[in-house]
Amino acid sequence: MAEHKAEPESAGGPSPLRVTVRTLAETLWFPAFFFTGFLVCYLLPFHNPVPHHVDVAVAGPTAPQLEQALEKKSPGAFDIHQVPDARAAHDAVTGREATAAYVPDAQHPRLYVAKADGYSLESVLQKTFTAVAQQSGGQLQVHEAAPTAPGDGMGTGLFYVVLSCTIPSYVSVMMLLRATTFGRRKKVLTLVGIGAVESVVAFFVARAMDVIPNEPLAIPLIFLMTQAVAQTSFGLVPFFKQFFPGVAMGLFVLLSMPSSGGAIPVQMVPGFFRALHPIMPMGNLIEALRGIFYFDGKDVWRHALVLCAWVVAGAALIALGAWKERRAARKEAEAEASGEEPQAVPAAEEPPVEDPSFELPRPTAVPPRTHRLGQQTPTLTGRVTDERGEPVQGVAITVTGTHGRELVRAITDPNGEYAAAGLPDEFVNVIASSPDRLAAVARVRARDGHPVRQDFRLARRPVPAAAGPVRG
């Protein structure tokens, strides 16, 4: 007997090594991105924070000499400007015209600092100007011009209050992508409601811990920041698709936190992050809250305007995504009406938008009637009956995409019902087939937030007439 050699599974197809590399790249790109991002965006600015261009007001005519001495000892660390007297020095700090103020005196030199700007910066200033005072033979006296709340001993409590509202705002978007029965408007309103709850709860919890002063104006500012993050993240989804998690977390975690000035004062991080500080939502909220709590409302309006600009940008992205979706649906409907074939798409299937922490809904068959907590809600339902209207069990329901790719298959239950969840937001073909009945096909529009129903009535296949006897 002749031997038959096994043929390769796919002659001319991609090699196993190439398939493995591609699979690993598509699967591990996000942890690799996050690993690199943390090394660059956290280790770089936080491993050795040093002062950069810290603005210090100096009372009296000795300011030029002091600036030269500090520049020689720590180049680029301090920017000195002269003020008339001790009162002007104190007001420069409380008015946020300077980060600190120094009043030279032979016996009792004074340093005005603002713990609200960060404990680590305060420590650097005390160390630097203690040495300056000792060279003049005096003993430095440190005065708190803007002390923090009693429950915020390290001056970083405000950062954690803001952080508690930043990451959940992004995570809420990821979780709402699973809510396939919610349309765009419901998702936007849900994000607004979540932000309102977060801002109120965060404020009162922080107040209960005495981390912040009792200034309720902080609540609308926190709310603005939650919407800046949430609505912008939601608006980015249709444009970046499977890369959305990297883009959103890169913006609001890897870049926003180091540049916020909350954990490490912005004057002590590299120039790139100092440049981001006036732009990113987290930094603007922290500065606005500092202004309300500790600096008599200084520049609060400016930081609030930046937060509003982020909210407007998010709304514009959402509107643009909706227009893009409607345009694509209109073109597809026109092609369907004219009998034209839809335009071909690249052969490579586009990966789903998903976050490494949460599995997004995929097309799947679900029970038509019983739904437990955590189970997907159907986006497509229907019933199959015979010519007399009686339910037909065991009919195969196959749902295919526009280009013929099978998405999901379901089987009708004893009541003739079927259901499917997690369908893509597009036109799909629904095929009902059974060995003893004529198949039926329908084309429906699957949309988030708009469950669709498609019923079928299947007739029996005609039985071929029996052949008569063969006569010789």
Side-chain angles (χ1 to χ4, degrees):
M1 184 179 293
E3 295 183 358
H4 296 278
K5 294 184 178 180
E7 294 290 332
E9 290 185 5
S10 56
S15 66
L17 177 60
R18 184 176 178 182
V19 171
T20 300
V21 171
R22 179 176 178 178
T23 302
L24 289 174
E26 292 177 349
T27 305
L28 301 179
W29 73 268
F30 190 83
F33 167 78
F34 224 44
F35 170 74
T36 305
F38 269 104
L39 282 179
V40 174
C41 298
Y42 282 71
L43 185 61
L44 176 63
F46 294 163
H47 78 287
N48 184 29
V50 294
H52 300 277
H53 300 285
V54 179
D55 199 354
V56 180
V58 175
T62 61
Q65 294 88 342
L66 181 58
E67 182 175 21
Q68 292 178 3
L70 291 175
E71 182 66 22
K72 185 176 180 181
K73 183 178 181 181
S74 304
F78 301 96
D79 293 336
I80 306 296
H81 70 271
Q82 183 177 333
V83 292
D85 51 30
R87 182 64 185 175
H90 175 273
D91 292 344
V93 177
T94 57
R96 308 206 80 177
E97 297 171 3
T99 304
Y102 180 65
V103 181
D105 186 274
Q107 298 296 326
H108 303 291
R110 282 168 285 170
L111 176 68
Y112 295 102
V113 293
K115 191 175 183 179
D117 284 329
Y119 177 77
S120 56
L121 180 60
E122 183 183 44
S123 299
V124 169
L125 288 165
Q126 287 189 35
K127 181 179 179 181
T128 300
F129 284 91
T130 295
V132 171
Q134 288 175 348
Q135 290 178 358
S136 304
Q139 185 69 30
L140 183 68
Q141 297 179 352
V142 180
H143 299 269
E144 282 285 358
T148 56
D152 187 14
M154 297 297 294
T156 56
L158 194 58
F159 169 74
Y160 293 107
V161 172
V162 175
L163 181 63
S164 68
C165 296
T166 301
I167 295 181
S169 298
Y170 159 77
V171 174
S172 297
V173 175
M174 293 305 308
M175 297 304 293
L176 278 176
L177 292 178
R178 299 178 58 90
T180 54
T181 57
F182 271 28
R184 183 178 290 104
R185 181 177 299 178
K186 280 188 177 180
K187 289 179 180 178
V188 169
L189 292 177
T190 301
L191 291 173
V192 172
I194 291 172
V197 172
E198 287 177 351
S199 56
V200 172
V201 172
F203 175 80
F204 283 105
V205 169
R207 276 293 304 130
M209 297 180 180
D210 215 6
V211 173
I212 58 176
N214 187 21
E215 292 289 346
L217 184 58
I219 296 176
L221 288 173
I222 298 174
F223 172 74
L224 273 179
M225 195 277 303
T226 64
Q227 298 310 291
V229 174
Q231 304 295 347
T232 303
S233 297
F234 186 52
L236 291 173
V237 172
F239 299 97
F240 291 95
K241 301 185 186 302
Q242 73 270 22
F243 299 110
F244 158 69
V247 173
M249 295 196 78
L251 275 174
F252 302 123
V253 177
L254 296 180
L255 295 180
S256 192
M257 291 184 190
S259 64
S260 67
I264 298 294
V266 68
Q267 299 93 333
M268 300 182 70
V269 297
F272 171 74
F273 296 99
R274 294 200 306 275
L276 289 178
H277 181 70
I279 302 171
M280 304 304 290
M282 196 171 180
N284 277 278
L285 176 60
I286 288 176
E287 294 299 341
L289 294 179
R290 283 172 174 167
I292 292 176
F293 294 151
Y294 308 118
F295 297 103
D296 298 324
K298 179 69 174 179
D299 291 336
V300 171
W301 65 269
R302 178 164 57 87
H303 301 297
L305 284 178
V306 176
L307 294 174
C308 289
W310 275 94
V311 176
V312 171
L317 285 171
I318 293 171
L320 187 59
W323 173 82
K324 180 182 175 184
E325 177 189 311
R326 287 194 297 268
R327 182 185 179 198
R330 186 168 59 250
K331 285 185 176 181
E332 193 166 0
E334 291 172 355
E336 177 72 14
S338 62
E340 298 177 0
E341 287 292 328
Q343 294 182 355
V345 296
E349 180 183 344
E350 182 180 80
V353 180
E354 67 179 85
D355 185 282
S357 304
F358 307 105
E359 182 185 356
L360 288 181
R362 298 177 183 273
T364 182
V366 295
R369 295 192 179 186
T370 58
H371 302 291
R372 296 186 299 272
L373 182 64
Q375 193 175 56
Q376 294 187 48
T377 305
T379 52
L380 172 66
T381 59
R383 189 167 185 257
V384 180
T385 57
D386 59 15
E387 302 94 321
R388 298 176 299 174
E390 296 296 327
V392 182
Q393 182 180 4
V395 177
I397 304 295
T398 305
V399 182
T400 64
T402 304
H403 307 282
R405 178 171 58 89
E406 182 177 316
L407 301 175
V408 65
R409 175 171 291 193
I411 303 296
T412 57
D413 64 8
N415 296 315
E417 296 180 339
Y418 70 93
L423 296 179
D425 198 341
E426 61 183 31
F427 283 97
V428 295
N429 299 314
V430 185
I431 307 165
S433 60
S434 179
D436 59 341
R437 296 184 180 274
L438 296 176
V441 181
R443 186 171 175 83
V444 299
R445 177 77 162 92
R447 292 181 59 193
D448 282 351
H450 298 80
V452 63
R453 182 178 181 86
Q454 180 59 52
D455 295 332
F456 293 97
R457 176 164 291 188
L458 302 186
R460 285 192 175 276
R461 291 183 182 274
V463 180
V470 180
R471 298 182 182 273

